[in-house]
Amino acid sequence: MTEEEAQAWLSDQGWWDGPTGDRLRTFVDLVLEEADRQNLISVGTKASIWARHIVDSAQLLTHAVSAQTPADGLWLDLGTGAGFPGLVIGCLREAPIRLVEVRPLRVTFLKRCAESLGLDHVEVVQSKVESARFDRPAAIISARAYAPLDRLLTTAHHLADENTIWLLPKGRSSEKELEIVRPDWQAVFHVEQSVTDAESAILTVRQLKKRVPVRATDKKPVSSRRNGKRRKAAATSARPKGQS
């Protein structure tokens, strides 16, 4: 996706003009300005920031809408970093969103952006994901370039319940990551191509719950159980009448 195509996509969604577009443009300016002081985004993506970062983040909201998530549900963005996707979502959606980030410089930047953009519904939380605690499960959890899927689910599942929708941008490794987590996690997984890159995907996870480990005693072969029943039946039939 080119920068022109990215801006056209935002326009099609109704996010390029008006106050929303103004917020996004101001946010882009803040990111590019801060990138000269700390390594927010790679140098190679500065010229393609609208496609590589803004639209790549904004598309998650279209998946949330199609998943029929509660309009006012709490959105958690994990490892927000430079503000992707969390601050972009905050520019597009007025419901509560909390950005979880552990690095102090990034936290300071995120708070400054939220204040500059007038995003009163955005809360920045300085914390490791595994240490974060909130008063209710998230309706939506997003995480972009935070961690491989297995570590993400392990460190963040306490922030969710079975109704939480996980929206996770992934690269070429999405199918491999899915294979790794399937033995330990039960869920409805759906992979859809990203609008910004044919080799990237958006992974949607629903009804997530940890699989219960099977104990060794529960793995008794079926044939052994059948033989046990036959021996018990034979012993019963061999007893003299009147005995029980």
Side-chain angles (χ1 to χ4, degrees), residues 213-221:
V214 179
R215 298 175 299 174
T217 54
D218 294 335
K219 294 182 178 180
K220 192 173 182 180

Side-chain angles (χ1 to χ4, degrees), residues 33-70:
E33 178 186 354
E34 185 67 20
D36 293 332
R37 289 188 285 268
Q38 58 171 309
N39 186 28
L40 288 182
I41 59 176
S42 64
V43 174
T45 64
K46 286 184 178 181
S48 56
I49 188 170
W50 286 99
R52 292 287 297 276
H53 298 295
I54 302 300
V55 171
D56 196 55
S57 299
Q59 66 177 316
L60 296 186
L61 187 53
T62 65
H63 289 268
V65 171
S66 64
Q68 298 182 338
T69 55

Side-chain angles (χ1 to χ4, degrees), residues 107-125:
V107 168
T108 300
F109 170 70
L110 293 171
K111 288 182 176 180
R112 180 162 62 87
C113 286
E115 182 178 356
S116 298
L117 296 167
L119 303 178
D120 296 334
H121 58 290
V122 173
E123 179 183 355
V124 182
V125 180

